[in-house]
Amino acid sequence: MSTNLRIPGARALHSPGPTHIPDEVLAAMHRQPMDLADPRVEATVDACEADLRRLVDGADAGIFMYAANGHGAWEVAIENLLPMDGLVLIPGTGHFSDQWAIQVEALGRRTVRTPWREGHPIDPNDIERALRADVKREIAAVFVVHTDTSSGVTSDIDAMRAAVDAADHPAVFVVDAVASLGAAPLSMDRQRIDVIVGASQKGLMLPPGIGFVTINDKAARVGKANPAPRFYWDWTRRADEQSYRKFCGTPPLNLLYGMQKGLELLFAEGLENVFARHRRLSGLVHAAVSGWSEGGGIDFFCRVPAARSVSVTAVRTAPGVDPDALRAVARERFQVAIAGGLGPLAGRVFRIGHLGDLNEPMILGALAGVEAALLAQGVPVGRDGLRRAVDALVADRSGS
Ligand SMILES: *Cc1c(COP(=O)(O)O)cnc(C)c1O
């Protein structure tokens, strides 16, 4: 294997995060930082906040950005909403709900968890049941992962919100949209989401390094009443006009230059078009996987077609097929970087990311590379994968 970093042509990055970064974003970041008193700093932060607010369609009580990744943003929700020893309901989706729950418990809070069923989205009845069982109303929040990136399964936000309402429970409704924001529509106001947790490096087409939460008045009230000690993550400290205070220190300026440009690109394309593009491209991947699956060597991990994510597809491999060897061949021989299995799915799936700054030839190229890797590894797959993807492209008129 050559470790030469230079690969001729564009590198095909099809992990579900970090994702491909548009040239415009890279160029916007290629600038000197400003002195912190320069009014352009505030203008950049304000522009990012205004566009994030449009993107989440709500957040009356604020947007709080942190020089952090998605795990940092998880910690923001935990520290602000949960008192010490407080209780949170975390419906099981897979690796990401498990990891969030572990983080909650490491910070001295308690979880009620519902089990996850492999290949299935969250059952809203599990949420309603768990909340009804909480007769003392101890559960302060429900933390749901919208798209679990490890499984490629997306759960139904409206159905889960309805479950909280049906239980008539006052818990704060928090959605981890790290893998879905910028790829699928979400509206805090219309869907009555109290907090959205996000990060820069997936649908927002930016480098890793900014985690954020967007909150409504209810979340702000619960945060304010929470006596748990906190400092860096405390969003009330960050409710300030000055960017130095907003970031509890120096803002990550170059990332913010990039964010301003990245959000600008999303709105220039038009959010409806961005979402339609994600549906169209994910449809090509799903078509290819269905063609390959006829050989018996692989299949969709997600058993419910309507719950298949527009951001990432997890592909289950039959016993005896090593997904990590397959990935190495895809990357080293065919220049397509795909992702592997996480946590309980390690060694059982590979994942094709299809979110962010992508178009048709990029996806078709990636699918061709994956098909080549499957064949090179002798995995029994149907030969109809690429053909079905091209047919789906031709049949889909949403881009014209
Ligand atoms: C990627 C991801 C995270 C974690 O983000 P990091 O930036 O890797 O810390 C959390 N939740 C979901 C759904 C994700 O996809």
Side-chain angles (χ1 to χ4, degrees), residues 1 39 42 81 88 94-96 101 137 170 188 222 245 253 277 286 299 304 391:
M1 182 206 309
E42 249 84 75
L81 295 171
V88 56
H95 180 69
F96 283 91
R137 296 296 189 247
M188 289 185 76
V222 171
R245 299 242 173 79
L253 285 167
R277 177 167 55 80
H286 297 163
D299 205 350
V304 182
D391 286 351

Side-chain angles (χ1 to χ4, degrees), residues 94-218:
H95 180 69
F96 283 91
S97 66
D98 285 352
Q99 291 305 117
W100 203 358
I102 287 168
Q103 200 167 320
V104 165
E105 289 169 4
L107 290 164
R109 279 77 165 183
R110 293 169 299 137
T111 60
V112 179
R113 303 198 217 175
T114 63
W116 54 286
R117 275 203 305 150
E118 282 207 5
H120 289 263
I122 296 168
D123 181 347
N125 294 318
D126 287 349
I127 294 180
E128 186 178 336
R129 215 173 294 121
L131 291 177
R132 281 189 191 280
D134 178 37
V135 287
K136 289 197 284 186
R137 296 296 189 247
E138 276 188 281
I139 294 175
V142 185
F143 286 0
V144 301
V145 176
H146 184 204
T147 292
D148 193 306
T149 318
S150 69
S151 63
V153 179
T154 297
S155 294
D156 183 339
I157 297 292
D158 292 330
M160 294 189 288
R161 175 71 244 187
V164 177
D165 293 341
D168 195 21
H169 196 290
V172 180
F173 187 55
V174 181
V175 174
D176 170 348
V178 173
S180 49
L181 201 61
L186 279 169
S187 165
M188 289 185 76
D189 282 350
R190 198 171 38 73
Q191 299 181 290
R192 289 185 302 117
I193 300 167
D194 299 315
V195 178
I196 282 184
V197 173
S200 52
Q201 77 275 18
K202 297 184 183 175
L204 302 190
M205 319 182 292
L206 308 172
I210 296 182
F212 56 89
V213 297
T214 69
I215 72 170
N216 69 6
D217 292 331
K218 175 176 176 174

Side-chain angles (χ1 to χ4, degrees), residues 49 108 125 255 303 368:
E49 288 180 353
N125 294 318
L255 287 170
R303 310 308 309 163

